[in-house]
Amino acid sequence: MNQDNIGKEESGLTAIYNTYLLYADLVPNWKDLSKSDLCRKYLELKDAGETTIAEYYFAAIVCRYWPKIPRFYKDSHYVVTQEECYDWLIDAILYAFEKRRWEDKDSSVYNDPSGPDKCINRKMKCIRLNALLYYNKDKRLSNVGAFIFY
């Protein structure tokens, strides 16, 4: 399997990506907007009740972060599937939108122009590290059990 194509041509995620891309193309100039600007616009539209247009922005956000899936899969392929890396991405985006740390005065990313991007990246790394921790914990426990003499 060619590592460069993970998350696009050779993956079961192709249909999902193409669907997101179809909806992202309904956002004018979405490729030129920063990730943080897309996030802020999504939240602004969602808060205003414009859910349909907000979902187009969500699709654009997912497409902009899509390259993270193959990168995280490449580093974690012994632990997870590509689909789980996709789940990490969606979970990280939704968590960042729920917490909105860039709007919290006590946060280190308060009023940071790249706040949403930093929060999503940080959460995705955190989810990956937690998965690796659980994998290594289970691996250690199974190895310890193998060496117990009765």
Side-chain angles (χ1 to χ4, degrees), residues 94-118:
L94 294 176
Y95 181 86
F97 289 166
E98 179 185 338
K99 298 298 180 183
R100 299 185 191 194
R101 300 287 294 163
W102 58 92
E103 295 175 355
D104 181 5
K105 291 181 182 181
D106 297 330
S107 174
S108 63
V109 292
Y110 177 65
N111 278 341
D112 186 336
S114 334
D117 183 38
K118 289 179 180 178

Side-chain angles (χ1 to χ4, degrees), residues 35 61-69 89 116-117 120-121:
K35 295 175 191 173
I61 293 163
V62 171
C63 288
R64 289 294 303 273
Y65 282 98
W66 196 267
K68 290 209 169 283
I69 295 172
L89 173 62
D117 183 38
I120 291 169
N121 288 329

Side-chain angles (χ1 to χ4, degrees), residues 25-128:
D25 285 337
L26 297 173
V27 176
N29 301 321
W30 68 272
K31 293 179 182 177
D32 297 330
L33 296 172
S34 74
K35 295 175 191 173
S36 294
D37 288 342
L38 286 169
C39 293
R40 285 189 176 91
K41 187 65 176 177
Y42 165 78
L43 291 170
E44 177 186 316
L45 289 166
K46 187 176 177 207
D47 292 344
E50 298 285 338
T51 55
T52 303
I53 299 171
E55 292 306 317
Y56 300 158
Y57 276 85
F58 185 83
I61 293 163
V62 171
C63 288
R64 289 294 303 273
Y65 282 98
W66 196 267
K68 290 209 169 283
I69 295 172
R71 275 188 246 142
F72 275 79
Y73 178 70
K74 184 177 179 183
D75 294 339
S76 312
H77 66 276
Y78 56 92
V79 179
V80 296
T81 64
Q82 293 177 51
E83 288 76 12
E84 288 172 309
C85 291
Y86 163 75
D87 290 340
W88 293 352
L89 173 62
I90 300 301
D91 291 346
I93 293 170
L94 294 176
Y95 181 86
F97 289 166
E98 179 185 338
K99 298 298 180 183
R100 299 185 191 194
R101 300 287 294 163
W102 58 92
E103 295 175 355
D104 181 5
K105 291 181 182 181
D106 297 330
S107 174
S108 63
V109 292
Y110 177 65
N111 278 341
D112 186 336
S114 334
D117 183 38
K118 289 179 180 178
C119 289
I120 291 169
N121 288 329
R122 188 179 302 159
K123 184 60 181 175
M124 188 141 174
K125 288 177 188 174
C126 182
I127 292 170
R128 178 183 174 270

